[in-house]
Amino acid sequence: LQRVVPGDDQGRTQLEIAIQDAELATQEPLARYQEARGDALLETFRQKELDKRKSAFDAAFQKRSAEIARLESKDRSLMGEQKQKYVLREARIKTEPLCLMTLIALIPALVDKNSFASITSFLAPMAAGFVGWAAWVLGRKVVINPLSFGLWGFGLAIALVSTTPWAIPVAFCLGAGLSILLSPKTQQLQSLNTGKFSVPWGIFFLFIALLCVGIISSFLSKNSLWLTFERFYRYGYLVFGGGQVVVPIMQGELVNTNALLTQDEFLAGFGLVQALPGPMFSFAAYAGGLCEQQNGINRQLLSAMIAGWAIFIPGTLLLFLVHPFWGKLKSLPWAHRALRGINAVASGLVSGVFIGILIDISWTPIEIACFVISLVLLISRKVPAPFIVVITGFVYVIFSILV
């Protein structure tokens, strides 16, 4: 503008236009620069904010992980305490009826055996009622289709015709295998994401070690107490479907095969245990004591203690062994079908024992009355088992006096 000649309006105008064009030309790059700089500042702010949030998240995650680890450690400690309390509670619950049934097993050695048999004669038909009711309840639960009915019939046949103690575990294995192979696809469960199993190997190896000790010692030692331990330890881990399922296993080996007990002695003990609080496995102490009734009262007492604890140990070990992954295991289709087959066979075994009892008992009017009374009271589901024993015994006494 200084170089424009005064009075040259045209030149001044051209120069002003040129300056305006230059300003316009610089505005667009300046806007782009400011936009780019704003984006960079915004990205920097975002990155800083993300870093800040990540740091806060990492700190919270580490704190949460530490809290979870602390809680898991506390849970493991509590679980250990609960396991210890469970074992102590179960030991206390099982010890009392075990001791009582041990004393009952010693009574025939202390008094006249015929008198004891006469007093307890009402227990055999009453026990038949309990076995029949157990067979009916188990059958209604597990016999749900033609396959389970066939496996039930297979177990029934094994109970009636088999004479070897290993027929029952073989029947369980066959029942599980057939159920896995023959179950309809419509009944198969969908496989879930089961993850890895956490197996408590210490408990597993302890279970196997006791199993091997029992089997090896029963073959190598001539002491019958080792054989008692092996038998009742085997009964403990072969039971499926409740304590009633142990009846066909014990009766088949102790009564039918080896004749260590008579049918009346076996059923008398089974009937007596119904009147006691606590687990039915206390029946094992009674049966174990009578297994040595020909060898003196001291061996009877020792055999009863061995049998009672031998049948209790495997169930407790298996509980702690399977519990950590039972929820995952039972979701597997093959495991669910296998258990269904085993339960069907077990139900058939109980039904077979019931038929065998009906055949073996010499039915008199008073025995028929005891059987019918116990069965009717069980069907009513309103009278506890101990009261059924007392009522049946009272009816037996009254009937004996009148007749």
Side-chain angles (χ1 to χ4, degrees):
L1 291 175
Q2 293 176 355
R3 296 168 64 182
V4 175
V5 179
D8 188 358
D9 294 335
Q10 184 177 2
R12 180 181 294 274
T13 301
Q14 291 178 352
L15 184 58
E16 289 176 351
I17 292 173
I19 293 173
Q20 291 176 358
D21 292 339
E23 290 176 351
L24 292 174
T26 59
Q27 283 179 358
E28 185 176 355
L30 181 61
R32 288 199 299 269
Y33 169 75
Q34 290 176 347
E35 183 179 358
R37 180 174 176 80
D39 292 341
L41 291 174
L42 181 59
E43 184 64 27
T44 302
F45 173 76
R46 288 177 179 175
Q47 189 63 40
K48 288 181 179 180
E49 188 67 21
L50 288 175
D51 292 341
K52 186 187 297 184
R53 293 185 180 182
K54 183 179 179 182
S55 300
F57 175 80
D58 291 341
F61 180 77
Q62 292 176 1
K63 182 179 180 180
R64 182 62 176 169
S65 298
E67 181 69 14
I68 292 174
R70 185 184 67 81
L71 292 176
E72 288 179 348
S73 177
K74 184 178 180 180
D75 288 342
R76 285 193 295 268
S77 178
L78 290 174
M79 186 176 295
E81 294 178 0
Q82 289 176 354
K83 286 182 179 180
Q84 184 179 3
K85 291 180 180 179
Y86 171 82
V87 173
L88 294 175
R89 185 179 69 253
E90 289 295 304
R92 179 183 59 80
I93 293 173
K94 289 178 170 58
T95 298
E96 296 173 359
L98 283 176
C99 293
L100 184 56
M101 291 302 293
T102 299
L103 294 176
I104 294 174
L106 299 179
I107 291 177
L110 301 174
V111 300
D112 182 56
K113 191 172 183 179
N114 293 329
S115 300
F116 178 76
S118 177
I119 294 172
T120 59
S121 59
F122 76 95
L123 293 172
M126 186 201 69
F130 277 95
V131 176
W133 176 246
W136 170 254
V137 172
L138 288 174
R140 288 190 62 186
K141 288 182 179 179
V142 302
V143 180
I144 55 177
N145 54 32
L147 176 61
S148 60
F149 180 76
L151 294 175
W152 175 87
F154 173 64
L156 177 70
I158 291 294
L160 291 176
V161 304
S162 174
T163 58
T164 172
W166 289 103
I168 292 178
V170 171
F172 283 146
C173 295
L174 289 176
L178 290 174
S179 181
I180 292 173
L181 294 175
L182 302 179
S183 290
K185 293 182 179 180
T186 56
Q187 295 184 359
Q188 296 180 2
L189 298 177
Q190 295 296 325
S191 179
L192 302 176
N193 184 16
T194 57
K196 295 182 178 180
F197 290 167
S198 177
V199 180
W201 293 106
I203 297 177
F204 173 77
F205 288 122
L206 177 60
F207 173 81
I208 296 298
L210 292 174
L211 174 64
C212 294
V213 167
I215 294 175
I216 294 173
S217 59
S218 65
F219 282 106
L220 299 181
S221 177
K222 296 181 180 180
N223 193 333
S224 59
L225 294 178
W226 281 113
L227 189 57
T228 298
F229 173 80
E230 188 277 327
R231 283 172 178 158
F232 285 87
Y233 188 84
R234 173 162 35 93
Y235 301 156
Y237 64 75
L238 287 180
V239 173
F240 292 89
Q244 306 289 351
V245 182
V246 79
V247 174
I249 304 176
M250 293 175 66
Q251 187 197 37
E253 186 169 359
L254 301 181
V255 179
N256 300 336
T257 302
N258 297 306
L260 297 173
L261 285 79
T262 65
Q263 180 82 310
D264 290 339
E265 289 173 339
F266 183 86
L267 292 177
F270 182 77
L272 281 172
V273 80
Q274 308 299 328
L276 299 178
M280 206 209 72
F281 279 166
S282 56
F283 175 49
Y286 171 87
L290 288 183
C291 285
E292 294 287 334
Q293 58 184 320
Q294 305 298 331
N295 298 322
I297 192 170
N298 292 331
R299 287 184 68 87
Q300 272 192 269
L301 181 60
L302 190 57
S303 179
M305 295 173 61
I306 292 174
W309 287 106
I311 202 172
F312 163 69
I313 291 173
T316 303
L317 293 178
L318 288 174
L319 174 64
F320 293 139
L321 177 65
V322 178
H323 182 266
F325 56 87
W326 176 248
K328 298 177 182 178
L329 179 63
K330 68 180 181 180
S331 65
L332 297 175
W334 64 266
H336 183 79
R337 297 195 298 272
L339 287 174
R340 193 164 55 217
I342 292 173
N343 288 330
V345 173
S347 174
L349 291 172
V350 177
S351 300
V353 169
F354 175 61
I355 294 175
I357 293 173
L358 295 180
I359 294 173
D360 292 339
I361 291 180
S362 56
W363 294 99
T364 61
I366 189 171
E367 290 178 337
I368 294 174
C370 291
F371 170 75
V372 173
I373 289 172
S374 64
L375 194 58
V376 169
L377 292 176
L378 286 168
I379 293 174
S380 69
R381 300 189 181 189
K382 295 181 179 180
V383 183
F387 290 101
I388 294 177
V389 177
V390 174
I391 294 171
T392 307
F394 180 76
V395 171
Y396 174 81
V397 172
I398 299 298
F399 199 97
S400 300
I401 294 174
L402 295 177
V403 175

